[in-house]
Amino acid sequence: MLESPTPKGFVAVTDRARRLAQTAALAAADKLAQDVVAIDVSERLPLTDAFVIASAPNERQVQAVVDNVEEKLRDLEAKPVRREGTQEARWVLLDFGDIVVHVMHTDERDFYGLERLWKDCPAVPLPAEVYGPPSDRSAAVE
């Protein structure tokens, strides 16, 4: 008898987590974050459903991305239960419970390779606007 690939007690990413991840990704892309991805970690990590990972080339832009993500998720009545790394703005972690957003300086993202660590987890589909020109992204977030 084959075992189910989903361990007992785990469920796929929730609709709320998917919506938060997509909104966070759009907010990050709106501030020109690079390589925005969302990963469904719900089967491997009981603490959260999804990671959103984005990078920026400097600390000021990392902070701008973080600020916009917080603002857009606040509109969905989501507040971070934990924030780390805002002082240095090299790797900022925003824990919203349902999702965790990692906004990383490009150098840190290359070094730590979070996508490699979670490569066995499925991607959370993101809106096409995340990858479009900035003018398309700002219209999609409104």
Side-chain angles (χ1 to χ4, degrees), residues 32-51:
L32 305 180
Q34 302 166 343
D35 303 320
V36 181
V37 298
I39 303 169
D40 178 349
V41 296
S42 62
E43 289 188 11
R44 307 255 190 242
L45 193 62
L47 303 174
T48 192
D49 283 348
F51 284 166

Side-chain angles (χ1 to χ4, degrees), residues 62-71 74 78-89 91-97 99-101 103:
V62 166
Q63 194 58 53
V65 171
V66 166
D67 291 345
N68 203 43
V69 167
E70 284 188 300
E71 178 184 334
R74 194 176 310 117
K79 294 188 315 186
V81 294
R82 193 165 106 198
R83 302 170 85 226
E84 293 189 18
T86 54
Q87 189 73 26
E88 299 84 17
W91 180 351
V92 178
L93 180 143
L94 300 170
D95 182 351
F96 290 92
I99 68 168
V100 174
V101 179
V103 183

